[in-house]
Amino acid sequence: MKKWMLAMSTAVLFMVGGCSFLEDTSSTLNYANDAKDYVSEAQKFAEEIPPLAEKAVNDDEAIKKLEQKLQEMKGKAEEFNQTKAPDIASDVHDQLVQQNEKIISGIEAYEANIKDGSFNPEALKNSELFQSIQDVSSIMKQIKELGQ
C-alpha cells in the first residue's frame, strides 16, 4: 500500500511539474513571438521615417503623417515595455525596455523639434532614436534563441 501511495504521489508531482514546464515553455514562446513582432515593427519604422521626414520639410500632409507615425511607434514601445516577460527572458526584456526608453525619449525630442519648426531630417538619421532602434534589432538574435 505504501509503495502504491508513493508511486501515485510521484506521478502527481511529475504531472504538476510537467504542467508548469509546459506553461513556462508556452509563455516563453508567446513572449518571443511578441518581441519578434515588436522588433519587426521598429525596423519598419526605421525604414519609413527618414524618407517621410525628408518629404515633411515642404509638405504639411507629410508632417501630419510623420507625427502620426512617431506617436504610433511611441505607443508601441510603451506597450511593449508593459509586457510581462517570463523569467528566462527577463534579461532580454530588460535590454529592450532600456532601448525603448531611449526610443521614446528620441521620439519626444523629435516631436518637440517638429512643433518648433526646427526639425532636420538629416539629424534624425544620426539620432539616438535610430541608434536605439538598431540596438533593438541586434537583440533579435537573443529573441530568436528564446523561441527555439
Side-chain angles (χ1 to χ4, degrees):
M1 181 76 164
K2 287 182 182 180
K3 287 183 181 180
W4 184 79
M5 287 296 280
L6 180 61
M8 287 301 290
S9 297
T10 303
V12 168
L13 286 175
F14 278 124
M15 283 191 280
V16 170
C19 290
S20 176
F21 174 76
L22 290 176
E23 287 175 16
D24 289 346
T25 301
S26 176
S27 177
T28 301
L29 289 174
N30 288 338
Y31 177 80
N33 287 332
D34 290 346
K36 282 186 227 176
D37 291 345
Y38 172 71
V39 171
S40 293
E41 290 175 18
Q43 290 170 330
K44 183 178 175 187
F45 171 82
E47 292 169 6
E48 292 177 346
I49 292 302
L52 185 57
E54 290 284 341
K55 190 175 177 184
V57 171
N58 299 316
D59 184 348
D60 288 341
E61 194 63 36
I63 288 175
K64 290 177 186 174
K65 189 172 182 178
L66 176 62
E67 289 175 320
Q68 177 186 0
K69 293 272 186 191
L70 290 167
Q71 277 298 310
E72 287 173 3
M73 187 63 215
K74 181 179 170 185
K76 289 174 184 177
E78 290 171 337
E79 182 180 334
F80 186 81
N81 285 355
Q82 299 303 315
T83 301
K84 175 74 173 116
D87 290 341
I88 194 169
S90 65
D91 289 341
V92 171
H93 186 71
D94 290 345
Q95 291 175 40
L96 287 170
V97 168
Q98 288 174 349
Q99 294 307 318
N100 281 347
E101 293 302 325
K102 292 177 185 176
I103 290 169
I104 292 166
S105 164
I107 288 172
E108 289 171 348
Y110 205 72
E111 287 174 326
N113 289 340
I114 291 172
K115 286 187 175 126
D116 294 345
S118 63
F119 79 98
N120 178 349
E122 233 8 81
L124 177 67
K125 293 177 190 174
N126 300 318
S127 70
E128 184 178 24
L129 169 63
F130 279 87
Q131 179 60 49
S132 294
I133 290 174
Q134 288 176 346
D135 292 343
V136 163
S137 298
S138 70
I139 298 170
M140 183 64 112
K141 180 181 177 189
Q142 295 174 37
I143 295 167
K144 286 180 181 177
E145 289 174 3
L146 287 174
Q148 294 178 352

